[in-house]
Amino acid sequence: MKKKKNLLPGITALEHSWIIAQAGTPQSAQYLMIVVHGRGDSLDSFMTIGEELKIPEMNYLLVNAPRAYDDGFSWYAFEPNQKTGILKSRAKLLQLIQELKTIGWAPNKIFLYGFSQGALLSCDLAMFAPFQLAGIVAISGYVYFFEEWKKSLKPSAFQTPWLITHGLEDDLLPVVTTRNQVQKLKDVGLPITWKEFMKDHEIDLHVETSFIRKWVRSKMVRTRRPTYLPPDQTSSSNSKQRFKSF
């Protein structure tokens, strides 16, 4: 049975569910993570993210994409027709963050956490949002490069910390493609931490999630320079597949 969605007053941009930080956490110490699913999935797959990441100060806003697809939702169309959907979804996420600002959440206290399609949108928002975020976590996705993307980069893209992870055994989105795209972003000076894991197109709930937890915590206390880290060679069976297709 699906868990009941806990709605956040004042949020109308996207269908959502709200998971609050641990009781007793001072408001000044709290952060917010917007969780963006992949194609064919929904926010329901992420209802246990708080138990998985184990960051007591973190609130989570799980969102559904605006377009129905299969048994879930989708943020944009298949390649090569994804441009319009990406722009519309970017606008929805920007509206969402504006609504969050209205109710008291500063963008620099907001993380984005995206898987597959959600990873692409997290990178897109980091590049083109007119404000600095606390950080983005982009898992098993790729980057969509608009024409003249370098000229369109916002100054905040160089201030927001990025973590991009990928699986060495990903047969849906080969790691070499995303690795090369990330290098293009790093070559213009974006502060990206790139990390490869021995996994498929999935979220590893052991090694990868532990790494993400430590990285997010490091950005909550500000701030460490991004680094390249060698891939973990331990394949974990403790993983969750949260996708239908990219």
Side-chain angles (χ1 to χ4, degrees), residues 20 24-25 30-31 40 48 57 63 84 88 92 100 108 115-116 139 145 149 165 168 170 186-187 190 193 195 238:
I20 63 172
T25 304
Q30 292 186 31
Y31 284 77
T48 57
E57 306 94 327
V63 294
T84 299
K88 288 182 178 179
K92 283 287 187 182
L100 288 166
N108 65 3
F115 174 72
S116 198
I139 304 168
F145 291 100
W149 64 274
T165 71
L168 291 167
D170 192 328
K186 294 176 77 171
D187 285 346
L190 295 177
T193 298
K195 180 69 173 170
N238 187 17

Side-chain angles (χ1 to χ4, degrees), residues 116 140 166 169-174 200-201 243-246:
S116 198
S140 298
H166 213 91
E169 299 175 337
D170 192 328
D171 57 0
L172 193 64
L173 290 174
D200 202 337
H201 193 72
F243 74 100
K244 293 279 180 79
S245 56
F246 62 89

Side-chain angles (χ1 to χ4, degrees), residues 41-230:
D41 205 354
S42 74
L43 64 82
D44 293 314
S45 294
F46 292 88
M47 294 294 260
T48 57
I49 190 170
E51 301 164 23
E52 295 160 6
L53 280 180
K54 298 181 177 68
I55 303 175
E57 306 94 327
M58 191 67 72
N59 299 272
Y60 300 91
L61 186 63
L62 318 180
V63 294
N64 276 338
R67 174 183 170 189
Y69 177 83
D70 203 357
D71 295 327
F73 301 90
S74 176
W75 295 98
Y76 53 84
F78 285 100
E79 192 176 0
N81 303 309
Q82 66 269 58
K83 179 179 179 179
T84 299
I86 291 171
L87 289 172
K88 288 182 178 179
S89 292
R90 181 201 298 174
K92 283 287 187 182
L93 289 168
L94 287 171
Q95 179 189 344
L96 175 67
I97 294 175
Q98 184 58 49
E99 291 175 346
L100 288 166
K101 287 172 65 177
T102 300
I103 62 173
W105 284 101
N108 65 3
K109 298 279 280 187
I110 298 174
F111 287 89
L112 281 177
Y113 175 107
F115 174 72
S116 198
Q117 276 198 341
L120 182 149
L121 286 170
S122 297
C123 292
D124 180 80
L125 211 68
M127 285 193 279
F128 304 118
F131 42 71
Q132 178 184 348
L133 295 163
I136 69 152
V137 179
I139 304 168
S140 298
Y142 68 102
V143 181
Y144 185 84
F145 291 100
F146 289 88
E147 291 182 12
E148 299 190 344
W149 64 274
K150 292 181 184 179
K151 295 181 181 179
S152 301
L153 287 172
K154 301 294 186 184
S156 53
F158 298 88
Q159 300 161 352
T160 294
W162 301 47
L163 171 62
I164 303 178
T165 71
H166 213 91
L168 291 167
E169 299 175 337
D170 192 328
D171 57 0
L172 193 64
L173 290 174
V175 65
V176 65
T177 300
T178 303
R179 185 190 293 141
N180 291 339
Q181 292 174 336
V182 168
Q183 189 58 52
K184 287 176 66 174
L185 297 175
K186 294 176 77 171
D187 285 346
V188 300
L190 295 177
I192 297 172
T193 298
W194 165 252
K195 180 69 173 170
E196 299 170 6
F197 293 91
M198 192 62 67
K199 64 163 194 164
D200 202 337
H201 193 72
E202 61 196 1
I203 299 174
D204 168 22
L205 298 182
H206 179 54
V207 178
E208 182 178 30
T209 296
S210 176
F211 183 86
I212 291 170
R213 180 187 308 115
K214 292 174 184 176
W215 185 88
V216 168
R217 280 207 162 282
S218 76
K219 304 312 167 190
M220 291 168 69
V221 299
R222 288 288 202 218
T223 182
R224 221 181 276 167
R225 293 296 298 170
T227 57
Y228 171 80
L229 297 157

